[in-house]
Amino acid sequence: MTSSPAATPEWAEFTRALGIELRRARDARGLTQETMAERAGISLYAYQQYERGAVTKNGAATNPRLATVLAICQALEVSIAQLLPPVPPLTAR
């Protein structure tokens, strides 16, 4: 049985880097986490998890859906390429 690519250390690092980019972009626009969550149509808790680069108890990274990432990009007025860090290899273990 293979594990999810989201459970790899490389993917956890990707989510941390994404969180850093989220915060940087949000701060540059003078927005609060509450405002970001509202504009993106997600819960404050979910947005906070993404910005923190949270990892679940089993080691899997908290992954926003593509629609959520695009909504966040719209709220921040940035392209997805500006927001996402380099993508790690997505091989399952």
Side-chain angles (χ1 to χ4, degrees):
M1 176 177 213
T2 60
S3 64
S4 165
T8 65
E10 295 84 9
W11 198 251
E13 179 56 36
F14 174 84
T15 61
R16 282 189 288 276
L18 174 60
I20 290 167
E21 288 303 315
L22 286 171
R23 178 150 188 193
R24 181 197 57 74
R26 179 178 61 77
D27 285 346
R29 285 150 187 80
L31 301 172
T32 66
Q33 289 181 331
E34 292 85 359
T35 301
M36 275 303 305
E38 184 179 310
R39 287 185 179 184
I42 60 177
S43 72
L44 174 59
Y45 178 77
Y47 182 79
Q48 289 170 333
Q49 293 293 92
Y50 302 146
E51 198 170 284
R52 279 196 359 245
V55 184
T56 65
K57 291 177 188 173
N58 67 355
T62 303
N63 292 305
R65 295 178 345 177
L66 179 57
T68 302
V69 173
L70 293 173
I72 290 170
C73 287
Q74 281 187 324
L76 290 169
E77 299 176 347
V78 299
S79 72
I80 195 167
Q82 290 172 293
L83 189 64
L84 295 181
V87 178
L90 299 177
T91 56
R93 288 188 174 188

